[in-house]
Amino acid sequence: MQVNTPLRRHFRRSAAAAIAAGAVFTLGACSGAGDPAASPTAGTSESGAPAADAPTTLAIATNRAPSTFDPVGLATGNDALIWGSIYDTLFVIGPDGELVPHLATGYSYSDDGLELTVTLRDDLTFSDGAPATAAEYKATLEHIRDTAGAGQAMADTVASVEAPDATTVVITFSANDPGFLFDLTSRVGIIAQPDKMADESYGLDPIGAGPYVLDADKTQSGTQYVLIKRDDYWNADAYPFEEVTVRVIADATAIENSLRAGELDIAGVQAQTAPQFESSGDFTTTQLEAQSSLFLDIADRDGAIEPAFADLRVRQAINFALNRDGFVQAGGGVGQPAYQMDFPSTSGYDPALDSVYPYDVEKAKSLLAEAGYADGFSIDMPSLVYTTSMEPAITQALADIGITVNWDSIPPQDTVQALLSGKYPVILWFASTLPDANQVQDFYAPAALLNPMRTTDPELDALLEQASKITDPAAGADIYKQINAFGVNNAWYAPLMFTGQTFAEAEGYKYVGTSAQQSVRIESYGVAG
């Protein structure tokens, strides 16, 4: 069966998504994506042009400096706020989680799902005026695939790329990879200049086909990045801001102080301070309810480290032991309880699964006793930079049913290594909003980051085989629901909460991103209507 793509694809993409989600939860970082092609930005006229009195500049924050603008090293998460504006992508994720054409106009798959044909717009240009065609995209994708870097993992199933004409790209895969379609909203979906992108200087002065260019004179690397709008961009009217300044501010409180001081126009704010912004009269607020998720990955499903976890009743007991409403409150009250791994915005989400594990400590204790663990047991769990605030609540919840947790402090740079080490039977982890195909790959595939013990199951294997052949995301809901139900019923995970985010907006500005949108994009920031 071709349900297994190389390990590096799964753990590199999953790790980046988890770290980005953790940053949102702990720092209140900005995130989200929009769809300027499908609907005008808030506050624009019916023609798409900004209203006469609308602001034309925007100042926002990111909690870390971009690592690079070199095509092969582009990072996901907050970095995409800047590079996505410079390069753009073939598709973007729309308000409801749907795939929306951007630099591309559409796509089609072969019957076996091993060939993807993408049609590009015929009016694309780079910021220096040169045409951006299928030949340039072919060269870009091949360069990312063949050059060591952060983006290489997303292209490792790409066997060949052809450009039979100026607007047609044909991608052939070595194995079915339905998640690649949504990866075209990320770093493998950019178009760079082939004759320049191998130069070391390209990452310092990037040339892309996106709506903005980097102003090298105003930009201070590591401190602030200034973007200037391209009037010759194909959809320029959808972008209301002539100049965008992205300031690097790592601390959440410092971001809020900059917002109050008028140095920022829109920013994510912490749950405990959001009411202050709401009541001040100087700001409006927008709240997202399910932007990322927090969960326990019960990775030791075969009992290799702790034999107790091989018993389904023990894994189910952990799920019954969790007061999910309490976790939402402990996280600041922004978000919603989670009883399943699929996000509410995805087609695999099934409301019926929310009733499988109600909070019931006595039920949990009874299951442990039935499994032969009435006296409980002890486990080691990794303490990660993004999980420390929630660890006391986890410790208490598991202690209430007799499971003692010993937390092992892990340096930030060793986060992924800790998960993959096979040392920890249970891991507290984050995930950002993902489309169905990518969720399946990242949560359940034998090579997935979140399946570090490489657990397999015949029932799941059959479902994964069917999911690997899905070429129409809208037609895969039934399979995605079945995989989601397998995860819940077999207690591979113990979901805790979908974490939310509140954005405070100065007068004239509006955050227009939604919870369904994964990437950090400039399209999330608009003008108030």
Side-chain angles (χ1 to χ4, degrees):
M1 293 186 300
Q2 292 181 329
V3 299
N4 197 357
T5 55
L7 170 62
R8 60 180 182 166
R9 156 180 272 283
H10 295 292
F11 83 71
R12 287 184 185 175
R13 179 176 58 209
S14 300
I19 289 171
V24 169
F25 185 76
T26 58
L27 296 176
C30 302
S31 65
D35 173 18
S39 59
T41 305
T44 58
S45 67
E46 291 183 1
S47 66
D53 58 347
T56 58
T57 63
L58 172 70
I60 51 181
T62 181
N63 67 331
R64 68 167 186 261
S67 55
T68 181
F69 293 126
D70 188 305
V72 300
L74 297 177
T76 54
N78 287 2
D79 287 24
L81 179 61
I82 303 173
W83 66 251
S85 304
I86 298 168
Y87 289 112
D88 208 346
T89 51
L90 300 190
F91 298 90
V92 296
I93 295 178
D96 297 320
E98 73 279 18
L99 195 73
V100 177
H102 221 231
L103 296 181
T105 61
Y107 71 91
S108 63
Y109 273 102
S110 61
D111 290 341
D112 61 6
L114 292 174
E115 185 177 280
L116 171 64
T117 300
V118 178
T119 303
L120 304 185
R121 297 184 59 85
D122 61 6
D123 54 355
L124 301 178
T125 61
F126 290 111
S127 56
D128 65 356
T133 70
E136 281 71 41
Y137 178 68
K138 164 182 160 64
T140 302
L141 181 56
E142 290 175 334
H143 180 65
I144 293 173
R145 180 196 62 186
D146 299 337
T147 308
Q152 193 175 41
M154 284 186 175
D156 59 10
T157 58
V158 175
S160 65
V161 189
E162 301 300 331
D165 58 53
T167 60
T168 304
V169 179
V170 181
I171 303 168
T172 302
F173 300 98
S174 58
N176 291 101
D177 188 5
F180 184 85
L181 185 61
F182 281 90
D183 288 342
L184 294 178
T185 68
S186 187
R187 49 201 174 197
V188 293
I190 71 167
I191 306 179
Q193 282 200 334
D195 59 339
K196 298 178 181 178
M197 63 184 171
D199 296 342
E200 291 184 5
S201 62
Y202 193 55
L204 302 175
D205 187 18
I207 297 173
Y212 288 87
V213 295
L214 186 69
D215 188 324
D217 293 333
K218 293 182 179 181
T219 293
Q220 300 171 3
S221 183
T223 302
Q224 74 170 20
Y225 299 83
V226 178
L227 301 166
I228 304 299
K229 180 180 170 179
R230 288 180 55 197
D231 291 333
D232 62 341
Y233 177 70
W234 69 273
N235 198 25
D237 284 348
Y239 294 83
F241 304 114
E242 299 294 330
E243 180 174 303
V244 177
T245 300
V246 184
R247 296 190 169 92
V248 180
I249 307 175
D251 180 72
T253 299
I255 288 177
E256 293 174 354
N257 289 338
S258 294
L259 186 61
R260 292 187 181 97
E263 298 167 351
L264 299 175
D265 300 313
I266 304 177
V269 297
Q270 301 170 93
Q272 62 268 32
T273 56
Q276 300 173 15
F277 286 93
E278 293 169 352
S279 62
S280 69
D282 297 324
F283 300 92
T284 56
T285 59
T286 296
Q287 184 168 306
L288 306 183
E289 291 295 336
Q291 190 178 15
S292 58
S293 64
L294 174 68
F295 55 91
L296 293 176
D297 181 358
I298 309 177
D300 191 20
R301 298 143 192 161
D302 292 327
I305 305 168
E306 170 50 61
F309 290 118
D311 193 311
L312 173 60
R313 292 169 294 187
V314 173
R315 303 195 303 271
Q316 290 175 329
I318 291 177
N319 274 274
F320 280 114
L322 302 174
N323 181 357
R324 292 167 170 87
D325 289 317
F327 277 100
V328 172
Q329 294 308 309
V334 180
Q336 63 188 68
Y339 299 86
Q340 55 190 292
M341 292 299 290
D342 280 45
F343 284 80
S345 59
T346 64
S347 64
Y349 181 82
D350 184 354
L353 295 174
D354 288 345
S355 61
V356 174
Y357 297 116
Y359 177 47
D360 190 337
V361 172
E362 293 307 313
K363 175 70 172 178
K365 289 180 178 179
S366 175
L367 286 169
L368 282 179
E370 290 176 16
Y373 298 95
D375 296 330
F377 53 89
S378 297
I379 60 172
D380 294 332
M381 289 180 61
S383 175
L384 308 173
V385 65
Y386 301 119
T387 65
T388 54
S389 64
M390 299 300 291
E391 288 168 12
I394 295 293
T395 299
Q396 186 61 57
L398 296 185
D400 287 345
I401 62 171
I403 300 176
T404 301
V405 178
N406 304 308
W407 294 96
D408 186 5
S409 182
I410 304 297
Q413 67 273 17
D414 295 334
T415 297
V416 175
Q417 291 89 328
L419 179 57
L420 293 173
S421 68
K423 178 181 177 182
Y424 302 105
V426 181
I427 303 102
L428 180 60
W429 201 254
F430 289 91
S432 62
T433 307
L434 290 171
D436 292 288
N438 303 78
Q439 284 188 156
V440 166
Q441 288 182 338
D442 291 353
F443 295 158
Y444 300 105
L449 171 73
L450 296 174
N451 187 8
M453 310 298 288
R454 308 296 165 234
T455 311
T456 60
D457 180 277
E459 177 188 351
L460 178 61
D461 285 347
L463 292 171
L464 292 176
E465 173 71 7
Q466 294 180 66
S468 74
K469 302 294 176 57
I470 293 173
T471 56
D472 179 2
D478 181 61
I479 296 301
Y480 296 137
K481 279 185 169 66
Q482 291 183 59
I483 294 174
N484 185 24
F486 173 92
V488 171
N489 294 329
N490 289 276
W492 273 32
Y493 298 94
L496 297 169
M497 61 181 290
F498 295 115
T499 62
Q501 176 70 41
T502 300
F503 291 86
E505 308 135 340
E507 183 179 358
Y509 294 89
K510 181 68 177 176
Y511 186 82
V512 294
T514 72
S515 296
Q517 298 163 327
Q518 174 195 2
S519 301
V520 182
R521 297 284 293 239
I522 197 65
E523 292 88 356
S524 291
Y525 302 89
V527 295

